[in-house]
Amino acid sequence: MDCWVDGQPADSLSLKDRGLAYGDGLFETIAVRGGQPILLDRHLARLAEGCTRLAIVADIELIGDELLRYAAAMGEGVLKLILTRGDGQRGYAPDPTAPGRRILQGNPPAAYPAAHAEQGIRLFPCTTRLSRQPLLAGLKHLNRLEQVLARAEWQDGEHAEGLMLDRTGRVIEGVFSNLFIVRDGVLMTPDLQRCGVAGVMRAEILFQAESLAIPSQITDIRLEQLQWADEVFVCNSVYGVWPVRAYAALSWPVGPLTRKLQTLARALLDA
Amino acid sequence: MDCWVDGQPADSLSLKDRGLAYGDGLFETIAVRGGQPILLDRHLARLAEGCTRLAIVADIELIGDELLRYAAAMGEGVLKLILTRGDGQRGYAPDPTAPGRRILQGNPPAAYPAAHAEQGIRLFPCTTRLSRQPLLAGLKHLNRLEQVLARAEWQDGEHAEGLMLDRTGRVIEGVFSNLFIVRDGVLMTPDLQRCGVAGVMRAEILFQAESLAIPSQITDIRLEQLQWADEVFVCNSVYGVWPVRAYAALSWPVGPLTRKLQTLARALLDA
């Protein structure tokens, strides 16, 4: 399907765009099923928070309408929204009144092996560490060189994802996923106030856990703590939930809470 | 002047470019005088180092030839080269064989007030801290949100530049400049192994200092040490050298070593 730029079909971008010049913008990757963007409100909420924190001017309601129209035309697949600060002149200073630029790209449904969800995956131990930057933490912004470097660390098919730590040895997230562990019936996921992307599926899982009265914690998790986990899984808004079976010398069974939350995610994504 | 993309006149970019998607690329901002790109070899050396560290495939010799041709056609101004990893598919994994994409943009000469160079400038105390990421430190890569946030901290005309620190209170650089101090005849500039951009004019000034037998050090400089400086200046490859007269409650005279190095930079840039 054609891309849209600011609501119009387009196949190219201005060379003055600040998304290109500085990674000055945000993005969302949205599953589309039956013409519907899944978890749209959560995607829009994160986007709105990013616009506030980066002072990017955007009409979130208009973006929501546009995503609905684009998804309806797509039918099935993965919709990527890039919101940049628009064109710039020379220099870093942003124009506080310039409207952001909306780029919508439709891709076919992601084709991950079914075994990832069924039997679980192995995480690659990435040596690229996430840097601490509270001003950007949680946002899905366009400065993603750390993820590019981390993803380039493995080429084998044995690892479906990689685990990223911060410099002090805290577990933060996957390269394109969030991470949860289960210990004694408690669901835990890393605090993302210093670094990391606060994923939409992570938010949904925390919400579902609350609805089901499953105790959950957002907390610092050190690498050493992984060995005490009863279950480990990763999630994102495109594939849902993948159980984690192994990381380096550690291994875990696919647990019941992982399966329960996976089923809920699948219900959303198979809608 | 028209932009060039991979050697051809163009005014737009593929929406699949990884420079847009992830800030996956590098850039150089080069002064052009009399049809010549100034300090071209230093710009190409930094670019080559960036390509090696990010594993971006590029023919540096071809880029050099292209910059010479573009500069000759421009005559006077500021030439910006953006080198991205080229088009990508969905996902962070880079294609290790895909050639980088070269984008050349010509801009008019920078129009800074002459007073910046003559009387010196005041530095704004930016609260945005540079995060520590040794894998990216020194490179002029496209992940520049920290600079965007820092530059948005002031709008007044009283501050020509802002000073950026790391999280531990070390002085690192200006938003678009490198910083030097002079103390007891010794030239000092911050170590950029954890964060910061290793500027081409910084390298040239260190080289000139060595040629003149001026002792110099690349070292950690804490904010408290600024008050002991005899002279402070900032530099980049477009404006040369600006003396720093004030930062918050601190002030300095415009010193003789600053003037000497400014004269050398001017000789290059006024060539």
Side-chain angles (χ1 to χ4, degrees):
Chain A
M1 178 167 171
D2 277 349
C3 296
W4 290 1
V5 174
D6 288 341
Q8 301 298 317
D11 59 5
S12 65
L13 180 75
S14 161
L15 289 172
K16 291 184 181 301
D17 193 278
R18 290 176 58 106
L20 170 68
Y22 307 130
D24 192 4
L26 299 159
F27 69 113
E28 295 289 333
T29 307
I30 306 172
V32 176
R33 296 289 178 276
Q36 293 293 319
I38 308 299
L39 295 173
L40 178 61
D41 288 351
R42 292 195 187 281
H43 283 290
L44 291 175
R46 180 174 59 184
L47 186 72
E49 194 199 338
C51 288
T52 300
R53 286 171 57 189
L54 298 184
I56 292 177
V57 178
D59 180 339
I60 301 295
E61 197 174 331
L62 178 148
I63 291 173
D65 288 347
E66 210 165 274
L67 290 169
L68 284 169
R69 285 193 290 127
Y70 194 93
M74 266 183 78
E76 305 291 323
V78 178
L79 197 178
K80 182 167 179 177
L81 162 70
I82 299 177
L83 177 68
T84 76
R85 204 185 297 271
D87 278 3
Q89 303 306 314
R90 254 183 33 80
Y92 293 115
D95 175 349
T97 64
R101 174 173 285 140
R102 312 177 302 279
I103 302 164
L104 270 59
Q105 303 174 323
N107 290 297
Y112 295 112
H116 290 1
E118 288 162 17
Q119 282 110 59
I121 65 160
R122 174 177 282 277
L123 290 179
F124 184 85
C126 296
T127 59
T128 302
R129 300 296 178 104
L130 290 161
S131 61
R132 173 186 167 135
Q133 180 47 276
L135 296 177
L136 299 174
L139 303 184
K140 202 165 172 84
H141 56 71
L142 295 176
N143 279 198
R144 299 265 76 107
L145 275 171
E146 290 177 344
Q147 281 72 25
V148 172
L149 291 175
R151 185 59 192 83
E153 289 188 46
W154 81 97
Q155 284 81 39
D156 65 70
E158 285 173 48
H159 298 88
E161 238 294 27
L163 183 64
M164 298 190 75
L165 314 179
D166 73 5
R167 192 157 304 283
T168 70
R170 293 186 196 99
V171 171
I172 305 296
E173 62 190 2
V175 177
F176 55 94
S177 309
N178 287 115
L179 180 116
F180 282 87
I181 68 175
V182 180
R183 171 101 200 263
D184 295 334
V186 178
L187 187 65
M188 291 188 269
T189 193
D191 183 19
L192 303 178
Q193 299 212 50
R194 303 179 197 91
C195 53
V197 177
V200 156
M201 188 57 81
R202 172 180 180 267
E204 176 66 17
I205 284 173
L206 289 169
F207 171 78
Q208 297 275 3
E210 193 175 358
S211 308
L212 296 168
I214 298 164
S216 68
Q217 291 176 7
I218 296 173
T219 184
D220 287 342
I221 300 176
R222 300 198 59 79
L223 187 55
E224 308 86 81
Q225 292 176 266
L226 282 190
Q227 65 185 297
W228 308 114
D230 302 317
E231 307 177 31
V232 179
F233 66 89
V234 290
C235 67
N236 81 16
S237 59
V238 170
Y239 66 70
V241 167
W242 288 340
V244 174
R245 295 297 304 275
Y247 171 82
L250 302 176
S251 63
W252 302 274
V254 179
L257 189 48
T258 298
R259 285 296 188 210
K260 177 180 285 195
L261 294 165
Q262 184 179 47
T263 303
L264 291 168
R266 189 171 277 155
L268 285 166
L269 293 172
D270 290 352
Chain B
M1 178 167 169
D2 277 348
C3 295
W4 290 1
V5 175
D6 288 340
Q8 301 297 318
D11 59 6
S12 65
L13 180 74
S14 162
L15 288 171
K16 292 185 182 298
D17 193 278
R18 289 176 59 104
L20 170 67
Y22 306 129
D24 192 5
L26 300 158
F27 69 113
E28 296 289 333
T29 307
I30 306 171
V32 176
R33 296 288 179 277
Q36 293 293 319
I38 307 300
L39 295 173
L40 178 61
D41 288 350
R42 292 194 187 281
H43 284 289
L44 291 175
R46 179 172 61 182
L47 186 72
E49 194 199 339
C51 288
T52 300
R53 286 170 57 189
L54 299 184
I56 292 176
V57 179
D59 180 338
I60 300 295
E61 198 173 332
L62 179 148
I63 291 172
D65 288 347
E66 210 165 274
L67 289 170
L68 284 169
R69 285 192 291 127
Y70 195 93
M74 268 182 78
E76 305 291 323
V78 178
L79 198 179
K80 182 168 179 176
L81 161 69
I82 299 178
L83 178 68
T84 77
R85 205 185 297 271
D87 277 4
Q89 303 306 313
R90 254 181 36 78
Y92 293 115
D95 175 349
T97 64
R101 175 172 284 139
R102 312 176 304 277
I103 302 164
L104 270 57
Q105 303 174 324
N107 289 295
Y112 295 112
H116 291 1
E118 288 162 15
Q119 281 110 60
I121 65 161
R122 174 177 284 274
L123 290 179
F124 185 84
C126 295
T127 60
T128 302
R129 299 298 177 105
L130 290 162
S131 61
R132 174 185 166 136
Q133 179 47 276
L135 296 177
L136 299 174
L139 303 184
K140 202 166 172 86
H141 56 70
L142 295 175
N143 279 201
R144 292 282 151 227
L145 275 170
E146 290 177 342
Q147 282 72 24
V148 171
L149 291 174
R151 186 58 191 82
E153 289 188 45
W154 82 95
Q155 285 80 39
D156 65 69
E158 284 173 47
H159 298 89
E161 238 294 26
L163 182 65
M164 298 191 74
L165 314 179
D166 73 6
R167 192 156 305 284
T168 70
R170 293 186 197 98
V171 171
I172 306 296
E173 61 191 2
V175 176
F176 56 94
S177 308
N178 287 116
L179 181 117
F180 282 85
I181 67 175
V182 179
R183 172 102 201 262
D184 295 335
V186 178
L187 187 65
M188 292 189 269
T189 192
D191 184 17
L192 303 178
Q193 299 212 49
R194 304 179 197 93
C195 52
V197 177
V200 156
M201 188 57 82
R202 172 180 179 267
E204 176 68 17
I205 284 172
L206 288 169
F207 170 80
Q208 296 275 2
E210 194 175 357
S211 309
L212 295 168
I214 298 163
S216 67
Q217 291 176 6
I218 296 173
T219 184
D220 287 342
I221 301 176
R222 300 199 57 79
L223 187 55
E224 307 86 81
Q225 292 177 266
L226 282 190
Q227 65 186 295
W228 308 115
D230 302 317
E231 307 177 29
V232 179
F233 66 88
V234 290
C235 66
N236 80 16
S237 59
V238 170
Y239 66 69
V241 167
W242 288 340
V244 174
R245 295 296 304 275
Y247 170 81
L250 302 177
S251 64
W252 302 273
V254 180
L257 189 47
T258 299
R259 285 297 188 209
K260 178 180 283 195
L261 294 166
Q262 183 179 48
T263 302
L264 291 169
R266 188 171 278 155
L268 285 168
L269 293 171
D270 290 352

